Amino acid sequence: MRARELLRVGGVFVLVVGLLLGGTGIAAFATESTPAYTPVENEQFQPSALLPAADDETGTVEMDAAGEKTVVVDMAHGNAIDESDLEPMTSALVRNGHEVRVHSQGDLNASLRRADAYVVATPRQPFSPDEVAGIRAFVDAGGRLLLLSEPPKTTVQGGLFSVSFSTVGDTHTGVASGYGLGFGDGYLYDMADDGHFKSVAAEPTRSEGLAAGVDRLVLREAVPVAASDDATVVASDAGETTLSTTRRAGDHALVARNGGVVAVGDTDFLRSENAATADNEVFIGNLAAFLVSGEKTPGAPKPPGEEEPRSPGGPAPRPGPAPPSGGGDEPGPTPSPAPTPA
């Protein structure tokens, strides 16, 4: 073999050996440079700190008021609910022997005559003056009224070339204002309570009645309740939420009562998926008991042209004016004292 070929073979051998040694070195370098995993120990990065605190979601709706009362649920005013949205409360009523009926059309006053309680949730169509008068006569006769509300909804109408937006809100005003109650615009939100946003917490202002056994409510999409001095605030947000329309935090009432009328600034808490959150199931049971707690006079509101019906144990009718003396066969009443002759 000639010297040139020996040099070529030797050069190839040295090159191969060099590549092998270089690859091994690179592999060793790559292995040594892989960063080691360091567990994150900062509290703010722990999953328990990132996730919102969960409310207790156990319990069932119970009520201790058995009987045979009739509760009418309004579905005749464009109500933005389904019958299933009220299922936890209506099921509790039925389990305790009460009847739940739905009024979807026809004469509302005729339905109320056979009812003991009336539930109105998120009506989008106004009540007529005759209906408002009938509801007031119903409550005056001992009927119970439950008003539930939701924030206004924005709807989109139109086609390809024309689109319009409109906001549809509840039409409780004609009914609720007669009892010093009302519902505000916008919605409440809470950015401080572990990021629940539209899920706001409410705390009772008392410990009896509707608030008995309730420490904390969770409402899913709430509006503030306006309550006059004649009404009683049952639960409020304790100043921890903000109203969307004003961007200001304040102490907002969420449940209020005036005699036989109760106003709640939310409807979603009644849904099956929310009924067991916090103490919602206790409050729902209290609402169901409230609905059947009245002793309504049968037949109210009266039909047009008829006298106001009386309950069997009600007061006797007032006597009419005495007929003029000397105008009939019966002698007139004797004046007392007898007139003295001149």
Side-chain angles (χ1 to χ4, degrees):
M1 180 178 296
R2 291 180 299 181
R4 181 178 296 178
E5 294 179 351
L6 291 175
L7 290 174
R8 182 183 302 169
V9 173
V12 172
F13 176 78
V14 171
L15 179 61
V16 171
V17 172
L19 290 174
L20 291 174
L21 293 177
T24 304
I26 292 173
F29 175 77
T31 302
E32 294 175 355
S33 63
T34 301
Y37 171 74
T38 302
V40 179
E41 298 179 353
N42 294 333
E43 182 64 25
Q44 63 268 27
F45 295 137
Q46 301 304 314
S48 59
L50 298 175
L51 297 175
D55 290 295
D56 175 64
E57 295 188 354
T58 60
T60 57
V61 177
E62 303 289 347
M63 62 177 291
D64 186 18
E68 298 179 348
K69 298 292 182 64
T70 299
V71 178
V72 169
V73 177
D74 185 80
M75 294 293 287
H77 295 85
N79 308 72
I81 61 167
D82 294 327
E83 297 175 25
S84 60
D85 293 339
L86 309 179
E87 191 273 337
M89 183 174 68
T90 56
S91 293
L93 288 166
V94 172
R95 286 198 305 271
N96 282 270
H98 306 286
E99 179 185 7
V100 178
R101 293 191 285 109
V102 173
H103 173 78
S104 57
Q105 60 182 354
D107 187 355
L108 172 61
N109 292 348
S111 293
L112 294 181
R113 288 184 198 110
R114 305 187 302 273
D116 299 284
Y118 182 40
V119 179
V120 184
T122 62
R124 301 307 197 195
Q125 297 175 4
F127 290 77
S128 70
D130 287 343
E131 289 176 331
V132 173
I135 294 171
R136 292 185 178 179
F138 173 80
V139 174
D140 290 343
R144 294 293 187 250
L145 174 62
L146 173 59
L147 305 174
L148 304 160
S149 188
E150 287 283 310
K153 302 293 184 184
T154 300
T155 60
V156 181
Q157 298 177 337
L160 180 62
F161 301 103
S162 176
V163 176
S164 62
F165 298 88
S166 61
T167 301
V168 181
D170 287 356
T171 55
H172 278 300
T173 305
V175 178
S177 61
Y179 305 99
L181 298 170
F183 298 96
D185 294 330
Y187 59 88
L188 296 171
Y189 64 90
D190 184 0
M191 298 295 290
D193 189 12
D194 299 320
H196 283 87
F197 193 46
K198 286 188 178 181
S199 293
V200 300
E203 299 177 356
T205 59
R206 55 199 63 247
S207 59
E208 72 281 356
L210 291 170
V214 178
D215 293 327
R216 173 185 165 91
L217 297 175
V218 174
L219 309 182
R220 294 306 188 188
E221 195 170 10
V223 297
V225 174
S228 67
D229 294 338
D230 296 333
T232 301
V233 175
V234 178
S236 70
D237 63 1
E240 297 180 353
T241 63
T242 302
L243 182 60
S244 63
T245 53
T246 62
R247 305 294 182 185
R248 294 179 180 176
D251 190 1
H252 303 100
L254 293 171
V255 182
R257 176 178 180 175
N258 187 358
V261 184
V262 171
V264 183
D266 186 40
T267 302
D268 292 333
F269 78 99
L270 285 169
R271 295 175 182 267
S272 298
E273 63 268 27
N274 301 322
T277 302
D279 295 323
N280 287 4
E281 78 279 3
V282 181
F283 180 60
I284 294 171
N286 293 344
L287 279 178
F290 158 78
L291 290 174
V292 298
S293 63
E295 294 297 334
K296 183 219 167 192
T297 302
K302 65 182 181 181
E306 293 188 10
E307 296 293 332
E308 190 69 38
R310 294 185 297 109
S311 62
R318 295 179 179 178
S325 60
D329 297 333
E330 296 293 331
T334 302
S336 176
T340 304

